[in-house]
Amino acid sequence: MIPAQPAITRKSIGMLLRLIAVVFSSVATILSTILPLLFYTDLSAGAVMGVASVLLIGAVCIHGMLTHTLNDIADYQSGTDQYSPGILSGGSRVLQTGTMSVGMLKQLGIWMTAFLLAMAVLFAFLGLTEFAVLTFIGIWGAVSYSLRPFQFAYYPFVGEWLSLFPTMLMLGIAAPWILLGQVPVWAWQNGLINAIWCMAWVMVHHIPDRHADRKAVPFKQTSVVWAENIFGARGAKLPAMLYFIIVGLFLLWTALTRPVGAIGAAILLVYAIYLMIKMDIDDIEKVTNDEKKLLLSAFATAIWLGLFI
């Protein structure tokens, strides 16, 4: 029997997109500032949903397609994905399963980057400055996270702060910026909290891969790997805990004007911290189950903050 050849199919694209991660991070972030525009402003539902649709398509293209494509290529070439024991982590697995080839991913990455750059230029030409800026920042986040000479994912704290954070924050404040011409305080609060929450979740995502990352060439020193090297085994949890503490500080600020929103989000945050405290980092299945719970908590936090401003 002749084995199936790698091909770009609906199945392979579905694997690559990893829509669950996109929905529980990028989509949740968008909804967190779309909901207040629908419920607490005089903007027409059509205008709000029109902008939301463009942002959702952009999130799938940039965060789902481009980011995962470039990350899969980089981590496959460095070797870390081959060693990863993760269930949710370790890339999309399109390369490891032979569903797609490296050449296909490179071609897909080139065409996707070219398409998004063309869209950014078109937005700028049409005077849609906000959409142009958002697209350029999204491309920057994907490229700088995985590709040389940047490859920020391979350095502690750099990948999340210089690549992930700006893209998630801008996605969070995008709708009010575009539709209101300004960014209200509630939008900054929601955007910042959701962006940092996403960074905390990514730190948990890196825990199962920490041993594989040490074998990578070049050495992939994520924040998790760095913390474990400095503080021992328990240090693997510290980056996520640090970001949860930062979320807590932003919630204190939020509580000054939005106590209901802050209290609900704080309850979810306490639950997340509880999961981190009791997590057995050497039990891959347990870490994966906790990661799923954290994804749901992040989504619930975004929606709650969107409903109570």
Side-chain angles (χ1 to χ4, degrees), residues 8-21:
I8 297 178
T9 63
R10 283 185 296 177
K11 177 184 176 181
S12 61
I13 293 298
M15 290 178 64
L16 187 63
L17 288 176
R18 303 171 77 181
L19 286 177
I20 291 178

Side-chain angles (χ1 to χ4, degrees), residues 231-252:
F231 302 105
R234 293 185 178 181
K237 299 181 181 181
L238 291 181
M241 293 294 283
L242 171 63
Y243 292 140
F244 282 139
I245 291 171
I246 296 175
V247 169
L249 295 176
F250 281 125
L251 285 176
L252 290 176

Side-chain angles (χ1 to χ4, degrees), residues 114-158:
F115 168 74
L116 290 168
L117 284 172
M119 288 302 301
V121 172
L122 179 61
F123 285 141
F125 179 77
L126 294 175
L128 301 172
T129 306
E130 296 91 345
F131 286 111
V133 170
L134 290 166
T135 306
F136 277 123
I137 291 177
I139 296 170
W140 160 257
V143 170
S144 64
Y145 192 75
S146 298
L147 297 188
R148 297 175 181 175
F150 309 106
Q151 209 164 38
F152 291 156
Y154 283 62
Y155 301 93
F157 300 105
V158 180

